Amino acid sequence: MDKLVTSYDFPDRLLASLIDQNHPAYEEARGLYNAMIDKRPRWIVPCAEVADVVAAVNHAREKHLLLAIRGGGHNGPGFGSCDGGMVIDMSPMKRVDIDPRTGTVRVEAGCTQGDVDRATSAHGLAVPAGLVSTTGIAGLTLGGGTGHLTRKHGLTIDNLLAAEVVLADGSVVTASEDEHPELFWALRGGGGNFGVVTRFTFQAHPAKDVYAGPIFFDIAHAAEIMRWYRDFLPGAPRDLGMFFGIKTVPSCDPFPREIWGRRVCALISCYNGAEEDGIRAMQPVRDALPRPLMDGMMQMPFVDLQALFDPLLPKGLQWYWKGDYVDELSDAAIAAHAEHGSKTPSELSLMHLYPIDGAVQDVAPEATAWGARRARWSMVIAGIDPDPTKAPELKRWASEYWAAVHKHNPHGGAYINFMMDDEGEARVRAAYGANYERLVAVKRKYDPANLFRVNHNIRP
């Protein structure tokens, strides 16, 4: 242990696992999912239980350390780390407890989406959450949480029953509708601004086998299919989740070799139910749209769908993304998408348009901190590639594409899980809209010194 760490007098319970810059595991431990972000924390503190998190929070507060919180470690702008400060790393905290009778699921904050999916699938259940199984469940939830089951069951936060939280003063509280209700309100969409959530209690729903998969069309049909998607989805059954994408067919199995590297527009769909019902729900797609290059829909376990694209998106890629909430998908916006989406700079770069309708809009805008209940879509543009030398090109493409469509999106805000760290305070305010000032009040009460500020920060 070097003199600086010793002089900072870490609590004994943290010393055994503490990773400093001289530790042989430091380089691996500091690595982030998004390799475009390179941060060098002074200390990384793996936490195995809540008491470890309490000790770490107290130490950071008492020593005035810059503090970052890491759950599953999937955050795009790299908020799970910091330069020169301390990281609370909850990745060892992976317990999942399920009550099959009530469908309630208690999840520790180090779990990934896959950890939760694998545990719940054994009981024919799923927590409505993300689309990639390597996503950390903590950050996804605190930002809102959208996925295949959103149209039927709402956002992840709409299925959050309670949260165990370590506050800035080191106390541990339970936030729910009955206890610390204002904190519970803020946690549902307000990000990591208010404390360290160490355990979540969710309501799960039946989801065993689904009729799901991608359908790819030639990029020349992008505008036509986007218009059709805009008009079709609001009237589709809620059991059908569907998002639109512009992407490139990866040059690898299981995709047909004859379309490797081809730019496409895609409908990625999931019908939660019997295969014959799923086929019936998808029939309008097959009746109305041009002949696809590939129709990959089939009956599969929901847990397999969640992991379908994991091999394409490993840790360590270069990522730069820009998001927007979309109130109206105009023909002019669609034309801009078709133009810029056809210029993707790499096979992995993409645009996805996720629906915000159905059960999401059943919840009042002021009921949770999440600020886009009246928008219709959540858009993300992501420049992605394994080659670090392509980072400037990825940023340029994503930024130019975003600028071309943003002028058609008067909402002004974006899903905070689709925002980089260069967005600025005005964008954070726009993300929450009318809920922002209430969030400031909760921040003043629970974190007045802004200990938890490595995030899309809400200043007290």
Side-chain angles (χ1 to χ4, degrees):
M1 196 67 60
D2 65 46
K3 291 182 180 179
L4 186 57
V5 174
T6 301
S7 70
Y8 267 61
D9 190 26
F10 273 86
D12 289 343
R13 69 174 302 118
L14 302 180
L15 285 174
S17 60
L18 187 70
I19 299 173
D20 66 9
Q21 292 177 327
N22 298 317
H23 195 286
Y26 176 78
E27 288 299 322
E28 181 179 356
R30 78 176 185 90
L32 298 174
Y33 181 80
N34 182 2
M36 195 178 286
I37 310 297
D38 184 26
K39 295 183 178 181
R40 301 190 68 85
R42 190 68 186 85
W43 304 280
I44 300 169
V45 184
C47 295
E49 55 184 88
V50 177
D52 296 339
V53 176
V54 171
V57 167
N58 286 336
H59 186 71
R61 184 190 65 253
E62 291 164 4
K63 302 300 182 181
H64 306 289
L65 302 178
L66 182 64
L67 179 63
I69 312 301
R70 181 182 300 173
H74 200 274
N75 182 264
F79 289 147
S81 190
C82 59
D83 282 316
M86 188 174 88
V87 175
I88 291 178
D89 180 5
M90 294 185 288
S91 60
M93 299 173 62
K94 287 186 172 291
R95 182 170 179 141
V96 180
D97 294 307
I98 302 168
D99 183 340
R101 183 180 58 84
T102 62
T104 54
V105 184
R106 299 181 75 207
V107 178
E108 288 190 326
C111 288
T112 64
Q113 176 78 66
D115 294 326
V116 179
D117 289 335
R118 287 187 290 273
T120 55
S121 68
H123 303 279
L125 298 170
V127 174
L131 299 155
V132 177
S133 74
T134 55
T135 304
I137 198 70
L140 177 126
T141 301
L142 295 174
T146 63
H148 293 297
L149 303 179
T150 297
R151 298 189 70 239
K152 177 70 171 182
H153 297 297
L155 303 169
T156 308
I157 55 171
D158 299 333
N159 296 276
L160 181 65
L161 303 176
E164 178 185 78
V165 192
V166 179
L167 301 177
D169 64 3
S171 61
V172 182
V173 301
T174 297
S176 68
E177 294 284 6
D178 300 319
E179 301 178 77
H180 297 273
E182 277 297 284
L183 176 61
F184 187 56
W185 175 87
L187 292 174
R188 288 176 290 168
N193 275 281
F194 310 99
V196 184
V197 179
T198 51
R199 182 179 287 109
F200 301 83
T201 302
F202 295 109
Q203 181 64 57
H205 301 274
K208 188 176 181 181
D209 292 334
V210 296
Y211 183 66
I215 302 178
F216 292 158
F217 303 87
D218 188 270
I219 192 66
H221 301 301
E224 174 190 356
I225 291 170
M226 209 169 184
R227 287 191 296 268
W228 180 90
Y229 172 70
R230 172 193 65 192
D231 298 335
F232 165 76
L233 197 62
R238 288 189 177 188
D239 281 312
L240 178 63
M242 178 187 290
F243 67 91
F244 176 87
I246 294 176
K247 51 216 302 133
T248 303
V249 180
S251 298
C252 63
D253 293 331
F255 304 100
R257 185 176 293 267
E258 61 269 21
I259 60 171
W260 283 7
R262 191 159 169 177
R263 285 193 176 95
V264 296
C265 57
L267 295 173
I268 294 96
S269 305
C270 169
Y271 183 87
N272 184 17
E275 182 174 15
E276 57 269 26
D277 295 331
I279 292 172
R280 189 178 305 112
M282 289 298 295
Q283 197 58 48
V285 178
R286 295 176 172 127
D287 289 343
L289 296 182
R291 183 180 179 88
L293 298 173
M294 186 193 86
D295 187 335
M297 293 199 68
M298 64 185 73
Q299 196 76 357
M300 66 178 79
F302 181 73
V303 67
D304 292 351
L305 172 66
Q306 290 287 82
L308 203 60
F309 299 109
D310 287 2
L312 303 175
L313 301 171
K315 180 180 178 179
L317 299 177
Q318 304 284 311
W319 285 75
Y320 187 82
W321 50 35
K322 299 282 289 185
D324 255 349
Y325 288 132
V326 179
D327 294 335
E328 180 184 357
L329 192 59
S330 67
D331 287 352
I334 288 172
H337 278 290
E339 177 186 353
H340 289 270
S342 64
K343 302 173 183 176
T344 48
S346 66
E347 279 199 355
L348 294 174
S349 295
L350 55 84
M351 188 285 295
H352 284 171
L353 195 66
Y354 301 105
I356 303 173
D357 67 348
V360 180
Q361 297 195 349
D362 291 343
V363 179
E366 68 278 5
T368 66
W370 200 77
R373 299 281 180 180
R374 294 298 174 258
R376 291 186 61 191
W377 320 95
S378 175
M379 177 199 75
V380 64
I381 299 164
I384 314 167
D385 196 80
D387 183 0
T389 67
K390 294 194 72 171
E393 184 182 359
L394 301 176
K395 287 184 178 181
R396 183 170 55 253
W397 172 79
S399 298
E400 290 176 355
Y401 187 165
W402 179 84
V405 297
H406 178 66
K407 62 187 178 184
H408 301 289
N409 299 332
H411 184 285
Y415 180 38
I416 64 166
N417 288 347
F418 291 158
M419 291 168 60
M420 297 298 283
D421 63 354
D422 56 1
E423 301 275 356
E425 184 179 356
R427 281 276 280 170
V428 176
R429 284 178 172 270
Y432 295 112
N435 290 334
Y436 185 80
E437 292 303 326
R438 185 175 171 187
L439 283 165
V440 172
V442 179
K443 180 75 168 178
R444 286 176 184 151
K445 178 177 180 179
Y446 287 96
D447 185 21
N450 207 12
L451 177 64
F452 305 114
R453 62 186 181 274
V454 181
N455 47 44
H456 290 301
N457 196 228
I458 296 165
R459 298 179 183 179

